Amino acid sequence: MSMGVPAKERSGAILTIDLDAVRSNYRLLRARALPAACSAVVKSDAYGLGAAQVASALYQEGCRHFFVAHLEEGISLRPHLALDAAIFVLHGPPVGTEAAFTEHGLIPVLNSVPQVQGWRAHAAMLGRTLDAIVQVDTGMSRMGMAPQEVDQWLADAHFLDGVNVLYVMSHLACADERANPFNALQLARFQAILARLPACRASLANSSGVFLSPSYHFDLVRPGAALYGITPQAGEVNPMRPVVRLQGKIIQSRTIGDGDHVGYSLRYTAQGVCRVATVSVGYADGWLRSMSNQGLAVIDGVKVPQIGAISMDSITLDVSAIAPERVAPGSLVDLICAEHPVDAVAAMAQTIGYEVLTNLGGRYYREYRGLARPA
C-alpha cells in the first residue's frame, strides 16, 4: 500500500521551481526598464510553472500588472491576487463574454473592431466607463488592430466611447535578435500610430524587448520568458537566473553488449559494452521526442548521453561513466539544471525554451522554493 509513502517518493520525477529566482529575475527586468513599469506575463499557467505561486511571489515583489492569454486563465488567477493587481487578458473577450470580465475584475486587451464594439456595448449597458488595453498590429499580422482599423478608430470620434484606454500596445516579432532591422521598423510604425492618437500610455517591449534600447520601453514592459530563466537575446550570455530543475528517477539499469539495441525501432545500437539506465520521464511528461538519440542528462556534474528513442513514459541513458551504485533504482538524474539549462535542452530538441517549459507535464512532483511569504 502507498498510503504512508509521501507523494515525492511515489512520483517518477521531481520538478523544482525556484520562486526566489523568479523574483530576482523580475527585479533585474524592472531595474532595466525604469522608469517604465514592469508587468509579468503569467499565461499558460506561468509557462507551465504555476501561475498562482508565481504571481503571488511577484505580487510580493511589487508587480501590479499581470498578463494571461485566455479569459479562463484570468478567472483562475483572480482569487490569488489582491484587487489592486490588474489582470489583463491578451486574447480579449470571446464573443458574448464581456460580463465575465467585469464579474471577475479582469481587463481585456482589445484586438479588433468587433472586440471594441462588444466592450463599448457592455460599458453602455452598465452605464460606466470600463478599462481596456488596445492592441495595434505593427507587422506581426497575428493580433491587434490592422492599419485600416486604426484609421477607422481615428475617423470615428465615438469609437472608444465608454472605454478608458490604459495603454496602447503592440508586440515585437524579432526582439530576441538584437540586430534584426524589423525591430526598428516595428518601433517606427508604433511611434507613427501613437503620434496620431491622443496622448496615452504605451507598451511594446516583451522580455527580449527589455534588452533593446530604452526607446522600446515606453510606459510598460511585458516580460514573460525571461522571468522563468530563458535567455532574452539569442547568442548572448543569459543574465537571468535559472528557475527550474527537473530530476528524473532511475527505474533500473543494466549492462548490454556490443551490437545490442536500445528502444523503439532499434534506434540505438551499442558500440561495445555499456551500461544503460532507464529513467521515468518521457514524451507524455513533455520530454520532447525530437531529442531521441541526442539529449543528455547530468549525474553529479557528469553529462551522460540519452540513447535510443524517447518513449511515452521513459528515456534511456548511457551511464557507463557513472559508478554503478550511483545509478541504482530510485537514484535521481538531472534533466534540467544549472549545467544543462532550459535553453540547452531546447537547442537539442530543435525548439525554443518556451516550448520546453510549457510542455512540462502534470505527472511531476512539484516542489516550490521561496514560496510567497505571508503579507
Side-chain angles (χ1 to χ4, degrees):
M1 294 180 65
S2 63
M3 186 176 300
V5 180
K8 186 174 182 178
E9 303 303 317
R10 301 196 303 264
S11 68
I14 300 165
L15 179 64
T16 304
I17 296 116
D18 186 346
L19 295 176
D20 284 331
V22 174
R23 292 169 68 131
S24 174
N25 289 339
Y26 179 78
R27 291 193 297 271
L28 186 155
L29 292 157
R30 181 175 58 191
R32 192 173 183 98
L34 283 172
C38 187
S39 68
V41 178
V42 293
K43 63 183 180 179
S44 188
D45 198 29
Y47 288 49
L49 302 184
Q53 295 87 347
V54 167
S56 296
L58 290 174
Y59 181 89
Q60 290 201 340
E61 201 58 49
C63 184
R64 293 297 182 268
H65 299 74
F66 297 86
F67 285 84
V68 297
H70 300 296
L71 169 59
E72 196 61 35
E73 291 179 338
I75 292 172
S76 296
L77 181 60
R78 182 75 274 177
H80 300 284
L81 292 172
L83 292 179
D84 65 333
I87 301 175
F88 301 100
V89 179
L90 289 162
H91 288 186
V95 176
T97 64
E98 290 83 5
F101 278 74
T102 49
E103 178 185 352
H104 294 279
L106 308 175
I107 302 171
V109 175
L110 304 176
N111 296 288
S112 65
V113 170
Q115 286 190 349
V116 169
Q117 291 170 336
W119 196 239
R120 189 174 64 204
H122 186 53
M125 184 188 71
L126 294 178
R128 59 187 175 95
T129 300
L130 297 177
D131 292 339
I133 290 178
V134 177
Q135 180 162 201
V136 295
D137 178 30
T138 53
M140 200 170 178
S141 303
R142 184 182 66 169
M143 287 196 298
M145 289 202 289
Q148 59 270 28
E149 291 180 305
V150 175
D151 291 339
Q152 183 178 342
W153 171 6
L154 294 169
D156 182 355
H158 302 288
F159 188 76
L160 288 171
D161 279 357
V163 179
N164 177 39
V165 179
L166 297 175
Y167 297 93
V168 173
M169 67 170 269
S170 192
H171 194 68
L172 295 165
C174 306
D176 60 325
E177 304 166 17
R178 187 182 299 280
N180 194 310
F182 200 68
N183 294 322
L185 177 59
Q186 282 193 274
L187 175 61
R189 287 175 174 174
F190 191 52
Q191 290 170 326
I193 291 171
L194 293 176
R196 299 170 64 194
L197 301 175
C200 58
R201 291 178 294 179
S203 177
L204 179 63
N206 52 9
S207 286
S208 299
V210 173
F211 291 85
L212 299 178
S213 76
S215 59
Y216 289 84
H217 294 168
F218 292 94
D219 301 289
L220 178 72
V221 298
R222 310 185 312 274
L227 290 170
Y228 312 112
I230 294 174
T231 184
Q233 287 293 329
E236 298 184 14
V237 174
N238 188 359
M240 316 313 300
R241 279 178 56 180
V243 170
V244 300
R245 183 182 188 185
L246 177 60
Q247 297 169 287
K249 291 182 182 177
I250 292 177
I251 305 168
Q252 66 176 60
S253 60
R254 69 182 68 198
T255 299
I256 64 173
D258 182 38
D260 285 346
H261 306 293
V262 177
Y264 282 118
S265 302
L266 313 181
R267 289 181 63 177
Y268 180 83
T269 302
Q271 306 297 309
V273 175
C274 65
R275 190 156 185 82
V276 178
T278 302
V279 177
S280 185
V281 171
Y283 60 76
D285 305 289
W287 204 244
L288 300 174
R289 196 169 182 270
S290 58
M291 286 191 289
S292 295
N293 264 336
Q294 55 189 5
L296 60 83
V298 180
I299 302 176
D300 298 337
V302 178
K303 294 181 178 179
V304 298
Q306 186 273 316
I307 56 176
I310 291 175
S311 302
M312 180 179 290
D313 310 300
S314 63
I315 59 172
T316 39
L317 306 172
D318 181 346
V319 294
S320 304
I322 306 299
E325 63 271 15
R326 183 59 186 82
V327 292
S331 299
L332 294 173
V333 303
D334 281 305
L335 300 176
I336 301 175
C337 60
E339 297 94 339
H340 188 52
V342 170
D343 291 304
V345 174
M348 289 186 167
Q350 299 180 345
T351 185
I352 57 176
Y354 301 60
E355 185 176 20
V356 173
L357 286 187
T358 57
N359 269 288
L360 295 177
R363 295 196 291 190
Y364 300 127
Y365 176 82
R366 289 178 175 238
E367 192 167 72
Y368 288 90
R369 293 184 177 174
L371 277 170
R373 299 140 179 93

